[in-house]
Amino acid sequence: IVVEVLRSIPALLLVFWCALFIPNVLGGGTSLFMGAAFGLALHAASYVAEIVRAGVLAVPRGQFEAAIASGMTRLQAARFAVLPQALRHTIPAFAACLISLFKDTSIIYIIGVVDLTQAGVIVSQRQPDRLVAAYVCMALGFFVVCRCIAAAARQLEKRFSMAGYSQS
């Protein structure tokens, strides 16, 4: 239920709640950055939980049963037989989730936390003649980081396929 609720709430709303609403209600003095980070972490955790669940369900039940039949405990079967296969299947989804999370960090500038987007906005406001350059640099920054994440995910997929795992 928690995962479904968190997945149905937009990331921006979670950031607002965690950075502004909850600290005011509880009377806490957390920083905007910590609240924003916690809101984004909740958002990402809900999607990661679904990715892991789907990965585990993608492993045929026979794999678990074979591990049990070979003398493993249920915990050992899950740890050594099911989870490695599940995680191998989820690498592309994890990469997509990480890329999405990185791009979602741009929403924290709305509450006043300086990030790549806010830095570009500040530059474009201080030097209006550099508006296009600031926004192109922001886009390039996001592009480079996202391409690096995608390349790392491809390398992980290749590594696992070379380690004797089949790509299915």
Side-chain angles (χ1 to χ4, degrees):
I1 293 173
V2 171
V3 170
E4 288 303 316
V5 168
L6 288 175
R7 283 182 56 220
S8 66
I9 298 171
L12 180 59
L13 190 54
L14 281 173
V15 167
F16 276 136
W17 281 356
C18 293
L20 304 171
F21 178 70
I22 293 173
N24 285 336
V25 170
L26 298 178
T30 62
S31 69
L32 285 177
F33 174 79
M34 290 305 293
F38 188 69
L40 286 174
L42 284 175
H43 179 71
S46 64
Y47 282 93
V48 167
E50 272 303 299
I51 291 169
V52 171
R53 184 188 67 77
V56 168
L57 291 176
V59 176
R61 177 89 177 137
Q63 296 289 331
F64 182 77
E65 292 168 355
I68 295 290
S70 71
M72 290 184 180
T73 64
R74 294 178 67 80
L75 184 61
Q76 289 172 328
R79 182 175 175 204
F80 297 114
V82 175
L83 282 179
Q85 293 179 67
L87 293 178
R88 180 177 49 87
H89 289 298
T90 61
I91 291 171
F94 274 128
C97 186
L98 188 57
I99 288 169
S100 179
L101 175 63
F102 177 69
K103 292 188 295 185
D104 284 347
T105 62
S106 65
I107 65 175
I108 66 173
Y109 96 92
I110 293 172
I111 62 169
V113 177
V114 177
D115 71 320
L116 178 61
T117 306
Q118 180 69 10
V121 169
I122 290 169
V123 167
S124 68
Q125 288 173 345
R126 288 186 183 162
Q127 299 175 344
D129 58 320
R130 307 257 168 119
L131 179 105
V132 173
Y135 281 87
V136 167
C137 285
M138 284 188 290
L140 283 174
F142 279 105
F143 176 78
V144 166
V145 171
C146 292
R147 293 294 299 162
C148 288
I149 293 169
R154 278 193 299 280
Q155 288 297 330
L156 271 176
E157 283 183 285
K158 237 186 243 185
R159 181 175 175 201
F160 280 130
S161 69
M162 287 181 192
Y165 296 106
S166 64
Q167 293 284 348
S168 53

